Amino acid sequence: MASSPFILDESYQSLREAVREFAQRELAPRAAAYDESGEFPWENVRKLAEHGYLGMMIPEQYGGGGMDTLAHAICLEEVARACAATAVVMDVHNSLVGELLNRWADEEMKARWLPVLARGDRLGAFCLTEPDAGSDAAAIKTTAVRQGDHYVLNGRKTFISNGGVADLYVVFAVTDPEAGPRGISAFLVEKGTPGLSFGKPFKKMGIRASATTDVILEDVRVPACNLIGSEGMGYKIALATLDNGRVGIAAQALGIAQAALDKALAYAGQRRQFGRPIASFQAIQFKLADMATEIDAARLLVYRAAVLYDESVRTGRRASKEIAMAKLFASEVAMRATTEAVQIHGGYGYLQDFEVERLMRDAKITQIYEGTSEVQRMVIARFLLAEAGQAVGAGA
Ligand SMILES: Cc1cc2nc3c(=O)[nH]c(=O)nc-3n(C[C@H](O)[C@H](O)[C@H](O)COP(=O)(O)OP(=O)(O)OC[C@H]3O[C@@H](n4cnc5c(N)ncnc54)[C@H](O)[C@@H]3O)c2cc1C
């Protein structure tokens, strides 16, 4: 735990130093090539697994690192600072699958899958979004019908990170069409199950090396014991899990923003115009000062969100508002910081050879996935209004 609310204690600081050294040595040198080819970053995933970063939040009794959400956020920030595409693979695996199973699966499912996920030799994916159900996730149409001791799943998921490359899919499906969000359930589907197939990886603006595909379910039969929690709990599980995932995406945004500041500082000191380094111009200094201030503010929000998430699991007091604030702010900061970093690089910033071009493309997704910036604002406003005793209509 942080020794002061604003300063990390030594154990987190040494974790940050270790992951920074690892990410800069192992991941950063390959980031541009993976972005260019769009090839899934298996080499990076293997390295993350070797160093225990793919099981870091899984309890030690299942072979994981037993670390908290703050430690995970610190690591994700440093991984994203080196390679944002690798960071989303890690966030989905750790938060949206590992944390989900640890929190909601029964003992048998945990004993079977958590050690496998902790070793990182099998990847996880989280399948909520559908072609007609994005921000309105409760509108999913994929169905799961009980037949004896099995469920039969039918439907199409889209935009699934780790789609096709993952071995384990958490799939949200409707078990009771009359019950609205309370009729949604969560299932574990293994790759190789007959009827489970994948679309071609989408070609994306940024995080190009992360695989994003459709996941197609045609009469996919899973044993009834693959139901996570109980029938009707799926939507609650999805929202609670997204709280952890959003801390991760906020940390990813922070890493991208920090990388942009790193590059902008270095470039501003070295690029000369009008006979002096551009860093000597106040206009450039003010940009750097604003970037650094916003990044620091975002970091504090992300750390608070991470600590509050773990507290919410212990106490049941929801932290969705503070988590949405962190995700909203950090992703907006990432977009502004990367845009300013390109500006500071002038024409060179617009070229692929300079990393800031990739960072600006990578930053954009943090405002979209795991809930758009608009959805985060809806969550924040809903809590604010409820706290103020104002009842308003439904929202995300
Ligand atoms: C690269 C990538 C990876 C992804 N990975 C995953 C994954 O692993 N698993 C998964 O399940 N999903 C994943 N997603 C899906 C992602 O979470 C959705 O794209 C996102 O939630 C937005 O849904 P949508 O694209 O359908 O947009 P829409 O919901 O159609 O939104 C379109 C626009 O309308 C706005 N809008 C919608 N409703 C409102 C409202 N009520 N008020 C104001 N504005 C509103 C949105 O903010 C947005 O600007 C991924 C997406 C991408 C692009």
Side-chain angles (χ1 to χ4, degrees):
M1 184 52 54
S3 48
S4 122
F6 307 112
I7 299 164
L8 292 179
D9 79 10
E10 251 176 56
S11 64
Y12 290 112
Q13 287 189 31
S14 45
L15 175 68
R16 178 190 288 289
E17 277 159 33
V19 65
R20 180 178 300 168
E21 190 277 323
F22 157 80
Q24 291 303 317
R25 173 171 41 84
E26 298 285 356
L27 312 181
R30 285 190 284 266
Y34 274 131
D35 173 63
E36 175 81 23
S37 69
E39 184 195 328
F40 188 74
W42 280 118
E43 186 62 24
N44 291 354
V45 170
R46 264 193 294 277
K47 294 284 177 193
L48 288 174
E50 266 170 42
H51 287 77
Y53 294 121
L54 292 183
M56 50 184 303
M57 286 194 291
I58 291 175
E60 284 165 297
Q61 69 187 103
Y62 301 109
M67 290 188 215
D68 58 16
T69 303
L70 178 56
H72 186 238
I74 289 169
C75 291
L76 262 176
E77 179 189 341
E78 292 299 334
V79 168
R81 190 175 176 180
C83 176
T86 302
V88 70
V89 177
M90 178 172 156
D91 179 61
V92 168
H93 179 84
N94 289 350
S95 287
L96 301 189
V97 183
E99 169 66 8
L100 181 150
L101 291 182
N102 184 44
R103 200 167 158 191
W104 302 99
D106 62 20
E107 194 44 50
E108 201 182 324
M109 199 183 269
K110 289 208 253 195
R112 173 152 185 224
W113 289 113
L114 289 183
V116 174
L117 292 170
R119 284 197 298 278
D121 41 35
R122 306 253 192 118
L123 279 180
F126 176 90
C127 310
L128 179 62
T129 305
E130 296 182 1
D132 294 324
S135 300
D136 185 9
I140 60 168
K141 294 196 184 81
T142 295
T143 55
V145 176
R146 179 102 191 211
Q147 286 184 0
D149 53 3
H150 281 75
Y151 284 92
V152 180
L153 276 68
N154 277 289
R156 187 181 196 98
K157 298 292 179 177
T158 193
F159 288 132
I160 304 308
S161 300
N162 297 347
V165 297
D167 301 278
L168 212 54
Y169 294 80
V170 174
V171 176
F172 294 88
V174 175
T175 41
D176 180 356
E178 307 303 316
R182 289 202 173 82
I184 294 173
S185 305
F187 297 89
L188 209 51
V189 182
E190 283 181 65
K191 190 178 187 177
T193 308
L196 179 71
S197 63
F198 310 99
K200 273 197 352 199
F202 294 119
K203 291 187 177 165
K204 305 191 292 291
M205 173 193 285
I207 55 160
R208 297 189 65 251
S210 69
T212 318
T213 70
D214 277 0
V215 171
I216 302 139
L217 301 120
E218 291 167 314
D219 290 331
V220 172
R221 278 170 69 80
V222 296
C225 63
N226 281 27
L227 173 69
I228 304 168
S230 51
E231 269 195 27
M233 271 181 76
Y235 195 62
K236 184 178 175 186
I237 293 175
L239 293 187
T241 303
L242 283 169
D243 270 352
N244 192 275
R246 284 171 184 172
V247 175
I249 298 305
Q252 180 195 31
L254 200 50
I256 297 170
Q258 184 62 53
L261 177 59
D262 297 342
K263 299 287 163 200
L265 273 170
Y267 188 81
Q270 160 248 308
R271 173 71 174 170
R272 296 177 72 84
Q273 286 294 281
F274 301 94
R276 359 185 226 157
I278 60 168
S280 68
F281 303 133
Q282 199 179 51
I284 300 288
Q285 291 175 4
F286 280 14
K287 284 189 196 301
L288 294 169
D290 285 347
M291 288 161 79
T293 306
E294 289 201 336
I295 290 169
D296 246 19
R299 192 171 284 118
L300 290 175
L301 283 178
V302 174
Y303 288 177
R304 181 183 72 166
V307 170
L308 287 179
Y309 172 83
D310 288 342
E311 216 171 274
S312 77
V313 175
R314 280 192 299 272
T315 64
R317 192 191 156 276
R318 290 185 67 188
S320 307
K321 180 183 75 178
E322 292 82 357
I323 291 168
M325 286 174 168
K327 203 260 184 190
L328 170 65
F329 191 70
S331 60
E332 306 279 316
V333 165
M335 203 63 241
R336 279 197 293 274
T338 54
T339 307
E340 287 294 50
V342 169
Q343 193 67 19
I344 289 170
H345 280 68
Y348 296 99
Y350 202 65
L351 306 185
Q352 274 189 358
D353 314 19
F354 287 75
E355 220 175 325
V356 288
E357 177 265 352
R358 186 185 83 240
L359 295 173
M360 189 173 162
R361 288 186 285 105
D362 286 346
K364 185 62 202 170
I365 190 59
T366 66
Q367 296 177 309
I368 296 173
Y369 58 17
E370 299 203 22
T372 62
S373 288
E374 291 75 21
V375 165
Q376 305 311 318
R377 288 186 173 97
M378 284 157 63
V379 172
I380 296 163
R382 204 179 55 225
F383 274 84
L384 283 178
L385 290 163
E387 284 159 14
Q390 310 273 356
V392 285

